[in-house]
Amino acid sequence: MAFDRRTFLGTTAATGAAVALTGATSTPAAARSGPRTYAFTVMGTTDLHGNVFNWDYFTDKEFDDKAHNDVGLAKISTLVNRVREEKGRCNTLLIDAGDTIQGTQLSYYYAKVDPITARRGPVHPMAQAMNAIGYDAAALGNHEFNYGIPVLRKFEEQCDFPLLGANALDAKTLRPAFPPYSMHRLRTPHGRDVKVAVLGLTNPGIAIWDKANVQGKMTFPGLEEQAAKYVPKLRSMGADVVIVSAHSGSSGTSSYGDQLPYVENAAGLVAEQVPGIDAILVGHAHTEIPEYRVKNRATGKDVVLSEPLKWGQRLTLFDFELTWEKGRWSVAKVAARVLNSNEAAEDRKITGLLSDEHRKVVAYVNQVIGTSTQAMASAEGPVKDVAIIDLINHVQAETVKAALAGTEWAALPVLSQASCFSRTAAIPAGQVTLRDAAGLYPFENTLEARLLTGAQLKDYLEYSARYFVRTAPGDVVDPAKLTNADGIPDYNYDAVYGFTYDIDIAQPAGSRITGLSFGGVAVDPAARFVLAVNNYRASGGGNFPHVPRAKQVWADSDEIRNTIIQWVKAKGTVDPSAFASVDWRLTRAGVPVFQA
């Protein structure tokens, strides 16, 4: 049944827990011959990132990629309906592992343009869709905090299911700021009902990535310590099955270095270190893991992990088999697999429910905001200095220069960093729409200005250049295999605008930057510069050196995406000849990798 918010609020006031009964009045599964057994399935999604429709608002057409994936909750709904029909709805649960309300222009529109927090504001499309599909619980993701706590709280209020976060604590009381878990009761043909506990865990990196929104309000301890606190409690409450929904990858790595004493991608560590967990729905890493087994060190039992990629491209199924022994249910078997949403049609119930919202957003993103004298594309951005990335950097640098005018920092040179966030971003020749400009910057990052020295910036560039695969002189160069060394994503490779330099990919990481100059003169290690930098990087995202501890001389509250849009509107015409130049290049032993 639907999650009763009044009951929850009363419960949390006393215990900090959420209790939801699922399937308690449903028709039981047919009895089986032989030993008393019961089978049920937990379905899971993660990293939906505002995707309801199989639609790309930046290209204004149906979503497609090289693997021909589809996206969106409308397709997930069809898969969920199939599973419920096969298993019996009373024998299923549906959960999510976070990052729900950020990522598309649909989700942006209802956070910023027609915000859900307004008086008599709309219901968030993701809440409408997830309520209609019938989610039972969802963990908090780090991107839930991007628009501030008021937006998140309003979204929580609009959901018919609990948002879980056992390690999201009130900064003053250190009590749970959200329900840590939910409890679900499944009726069986014999024996007592099966009690399934879902423990929600989110990412400690929120304290860094959304510092401006959460500092002094919430704190985020490690996943392992909170799981160790709550799993025994859930077992003592009679949970027959414990599932963790964790917005945390399985690799055991972190992108924020030593800035926090916690691991970012800790799902595997939780499985290994905390006894009493049967399965973990993994999120955050945007990878596809149909089934991954981790042996718990204390019990020797396997914990089954699964991650259903992202954006509604996959649906995880955890299939449980239980046996009734000595007056209690015990888990005999767990297996996991994923279903591909490109095999399903969109559920017309969901697309019809949100057709008006979809049309509004399509009209919004197709507004013409200016013109461009020539076409620009990001396809080669990871390996070449291209005009479209220069546009981002030019806007950022110009914005910071204007902000610092008349201050003690006004005379310092301003540099800018930017990444190739999307290899499909493009600005056409002729009319430029809002979606064209917004497509350059898919994240809700804001702009800051930090004070750094020439030596620090060289360190920064060396760290960034780890992104390239070491390639000896004379080796065949395949641009498709030249980047993402050690799994470094495109958004963690920064080009710095304002400097001129070469990156010698024949050299080991840490010794690649050569010819670093500013205005035709070699950079003085002691010279001071202002770096226009996004708040994710400034707060430690990607673990780049020096910037998080550098003096902040200015900060903006508006998204960089909006700054670009407003710049294009103000200029009217985008002319790459006014800002684009080739200031960095890849070399091997001084020879350019790509000829001009």
Side-chain angles (χ1 to χ4, degrees):
M1 69 181 185
F3 178 68
D4 187 330
R5 185 160 301 282
R6 292 181 182 176
T7 300
F8 159 65
L9 291 174
T11 304
T12 49
T15 65
V19 178
L21 304 183
T22 303
T25 59
S26 302
T27 303
R32 301 181 181 184
S33 60
R36 294 182 178 183
T37 63
Y38 176 66
F40 71 97
T41 296
V42 176
M43 298 174 281
T45 55
T46 191
D47 296 277
L48 293 168
H49 283 288
N51 285 281
V52 174
F53 298 84
N54 186 40
W55 193 259
D56 186 336
Y57 292 97
F58 292 136
T59 62
D60 198 30
K61 59 185 179 182
E62 185 175 300
F63 179 89
D64 195 24
D65 61 14
K66 290 180 180 179
H68 301 298
N69 288 303
D70 287 348
V71 300
L73 276 170
K75 292 210 163 210
I76 289 294
S77 182
T78 300
L79 294 177
V80 167
N81 290 338
R82 287 180 189 171
V83 174
R84 285 172 173 164
E85 184 176 355
E86 176 189 349
K87 307 284 185 179
R89 174 147 189 169
C90 58
N91 303 313
T92 65
L93 294 171
L94 176 60
I95 64 175
D96 183 80
D99 275 7
T100 303
I101 59 172
Q102 176 278 337
T104 63
Q105 286 294 289
L106 180 71
S107 55
Y108 178 82
Y109 187 90
Y110 288 97
K112 291 289 190 176
V113 181
D114 185 11
I116 61 175
T117 48
R119 187 182 179 190
R120 298 178 182 171
V123 177
H124 199 289
M126 294 301 287
Q128 291 191 60
M130 294 174 82
N131 289 343
I133 295 169
Y135 273 78
D136 294 290
L140 294 164
N142 54 284
H143 283 287
E144 259 66 84
F145 294 84
N146 285 174
Y147 297 117
I149 292 173
V151 170
L152 174 54
R153 287 300 190 192
K154 189 64 178 181
F155 174 70
E156 180 188 27
E157 178 186 316
Q158 294 176 342
C159 291
D160 293 339
F161 51 91
L163 300 183
L164 308 177
N167 61 329
L169 309 181
D170 181 276
K172 294 179 180 178
T173 67
L174 298 183
R175 291 173 62 85
F178 296 85
Y181 58 85
S182 57
M183 193 76 79
H184 309 266
R185 193 183 298 271
L186 301 176
R187 181 160 292 177
T188 71
H190 37 240
R192 63 172 170 77
D193 296 345
V194 169
K195 293 178 72 174
V196 181
V198 179
L199 176 67
L201 297 170
T202 192
N203 206 290
I206 295 166
I208 291 176
W209 305 321
D210 270 300
K211 182 178 180 180
N213 291 328
V214 301
Q215 188 174 33
K217 300 173 183 177
M218 293 185 190
T219 186
F220 303 88
L223 284 81
E224 305 98 309
E225 69 174 66
Q226 293 303 106
K229 173 182 176 180
Y230 278 102
V231 172
K233 179 177 181 177
L234 294 172
R235 290 294 183 181
S236 70
M237 292 169 61
D240 302 295
V241 179
V242 173
I243 300 167
V244 173
S245 184
H247 193 76
S248 181
S250 60
S251 66
T253 61
S254 288
S255 66
Y256 41 71
D258 60 358
Q259 296 174 73
L260 286 175
Y262 312 117
V263 176
E264 175 182 350
N265 295 301
L269 297 175
V270 171
E272 181 183 69
Q273 297 176 13
V274 181
I277 298 169
D278 297 297
I280 301 179
L281 177 65
V282 178
H284 184 60
H286 290 202
T287 57
E288 181 177 350
I289 305 174
E291 183 184 86
Y292 173 48
R293 292 178 177 269
V294 175
K295 195 171 293 295
N296 183 266
R297 289 193 309 214
T299 65
K301 294 181 179 179
D302 281 353
V303 181
V304 178
L305 284 67
S306 181
E307 183 174 5
L309 200 53
K310 60 183 178 181
W311 303 351
Q313 294 176 350
R314 304 289 186 271
L315 176 70
T316 278
L317 304 185
F318 291 105
D319 293 314
F320 288 85
E321 293 183 12
L322 277 62
T323 56
W324 178 258
E325 297 175 328
K326 299 178 181 178
R328 62 183 296 272
W329 289 107
S330 61
V331 175
K333 183 180 178 182
V334 187
R337 54 196 168 104
V338 296
L339 303 181
N340 193 327
S341 65
N342 69 10
E343 298 172 358
E346 290 188 313
D347 185 346
R348 291 184 180 180
K349 173 185 172 183
I350 304 303
T351 57
L353 177 68
L354 294 166
S355 59
D356 287 345
E357 288 84 346
H358 178 64
R359 281 194 293 267
K360 282 182 183 179
V361 176
V362 168
Y364 165 73
V365 300
N366 279 291
Q367 298 175 63
V368 175
I369 60 172
T371 61
S372 179
T373 61
Q374 66 185 66
M376 295 177 281
S378 64
E380 294 185 312
V383 295
K384 294 182 180 180
D385 187 348
V386 295
I388 201 166
I389 307 299
D390 285 346
L391 173 59
I392 298 172
N393 272 320
H394 180 72
V395 171
Q396 292 182 164
E398 196 172 86
T399 301
V400 168
K401 286 177 185 176
L404 295 182
T407 72
E408 61 181 299
W409 318 109
L412 291 179
V414 176
L415 311 172
S416 178
Q417 62 78 224
S419 305
C420 181
F421 295 115
S422 168
R423 298 194 185 200
T424 59
I427 297 290
Q431 290 187 336
V432 177
T433 63
L434 186 147
R435 66 178 170 82
D436 296 324
L440 302 184
Y441 221 107
F443 300 108
E444 272 65 49
N445 294 341
T446 57
L447 188 61
E448 297 188 15
R450 297 284 179 125
L451 194 64
L452 292 110
T453 66
Q456 289 174 325
L457 284 161
K458 186 173 187 296
D459 288 346
Y460 186 100
L461 287 170
E462 288 286 8
Y463 183 85
S464 183
R466 302 173 309 129
Y467 169 77
F468 297 103
V469 175
R470 189 176 185 182
T471 310
D475 284 0
V476 175
V477 172
D478 179 355
K481 298 179 180 178
L482 201 56
T483 62
N484 308 104
D486 298 322
I488 297 171
D490 292 348
Y491 62 77
N492 274 343
Y493 168 64
D494 288 357
V496 172
Y497 178 82
F499 277 164
T500 300
Y501 56 97
D502 290 344
I503 303 172
D504 190 338
I505 60 173
Q507 298 301 316
S511 303
R512 291 179 168 176
I513 304 301
T514 63
L516 184 64
S517 64
F518 176 78
V521 178
V523 170
D524 180 350
R528 296 194 302 171
F529 298 87
V530 173
L531 180 67
V533 58
N534 69 58
N535 69 302
Y536 172 79
R537 190 71 78 234
S539 60
N543 200 30
F544 277 63
H546 306 304
V547 176
R549 294 179 177 86
K551 181 178 179 62
Q552 182 192 84
V553 296
W554 177 79
D556 195 9
S557 61
D558 202 9
E559 293 93 351
I560 293 169
R561 173 168 56 209
N562 283 342
T563 301
I564 296 170
I565 290 168
Q566 296 307 318
W567 186 91
V568 174
K569 285 182 176 180
K571 293 292 183 183
T573 300
V574 179
D575 182 2
S577 67
F579 57 79
S581 59
V582 178
D583 295 323
W584 67 269
R585 61 181 184 172
L586 301 183
T587 63
R588 290 183 294 181
V591 178
V593 173
F594 303 105
Q595 299 302 318

